[in-house]
Amino acid sequence: MFFMTLAIANGLCIGGSRSINGKLAQHDGALAASFWNHLGGFLFLSLLLASGAAAFRLPLDAPWSAWCGGVIGAAFVALNGFALPRLGTMKTALLVIAGQMLSGVLIDRLAGNGGKSAQAQLAGIGLIALGLYLSKRGPAKPTAEVSASS
């Protein structure tokens, strides 16, 4: 339960961060917003490391692909800066979540960890796509009421 709560808290942080960075991107552009986002994160982590709250070790034994996470993170923030002001927070969040679920299913499948739940996972992606479709339709149009006095 603790780790599920952490995951939900992480989702709340991501949602809030998207909205904040989307606003910043409207003023300075998506790439500048990504830069300021990552500079702020760097300063925050530097304070944690300097205070001794976290250990720091250069992972020289990590595979080269592990170093791509920072590049992907910067691209994520920049792409969000382009999309969010044009799509809105909810639609951007739905599309990002759908992409995260799809990548999770694919990564689990490629790693052999998919198990029997792949159909349920794909159904979840389908439900997110359905939610996006329904949100795109907008509110139902009001129907004309027939007067009872006619």
Side-chain angles (χ1 to χ4, degrees):
M1 184 67 171
F2 174 73
F3 292 109
M4 292 174 71
T5 303
L6 283 180
I8 290 171
N10 187 33
L12 292 171
C13 288
I14 290 170
S17 173
R18 272 191 205 123
S19 181
I20 292 166
N21 289 324
K23 293 280 185 197
L24 185 58
Q26 287 178 316
H27 293 280
D28 284 345
L31 294 178
S34 182
F35 172 80
W36 292 116
N37 171 277
H38 286 85
L39 180 63
F42 172 76
L43 294 173
F44 173 71
L45 290 175
S46 295
L47 284 173
L48 284 178
L49 291 171
S51 72
F56 180 75
R57 178 183 71 82
L58 189 61
L60 295 175
D61 55 340
W64 70 268
S65 58
W67 294 90
C68 295
V71 175
I72 293 169
F76 170 79
V77 173
L79 291 171
N80 182 73
F82 285 117
L84 191 132
R86 291 160 180 86
L87 297 175
T89 304
M90 184 190 66
K91 289 179 185 173
T92 302
L94 281 173
L95 289 165
V96 168
I97 292 167
Q100 288 174 326
M101 287 186 67
L102 184 58
S103 70
V105 169
L106 291 173
I107 291 168
D108 277 351
R109 277 286 172 216
L110 292 172
N113 301 330
K116 295 180 182 179
S117 65
Q119 291 172 333
Q121 292 168 336
L122 291 173
I125 294 169
L127 288 172
I128 290 172
L130 177 63
L132 181 63
Y133 169 75
L134 292 174
S135 73
K136 186 177 180 181
R137 289 184 50 205
K141 294 181 182 176
T143 58
E145 294 183 27
V146 179
S147 171
S149 62
S150 359

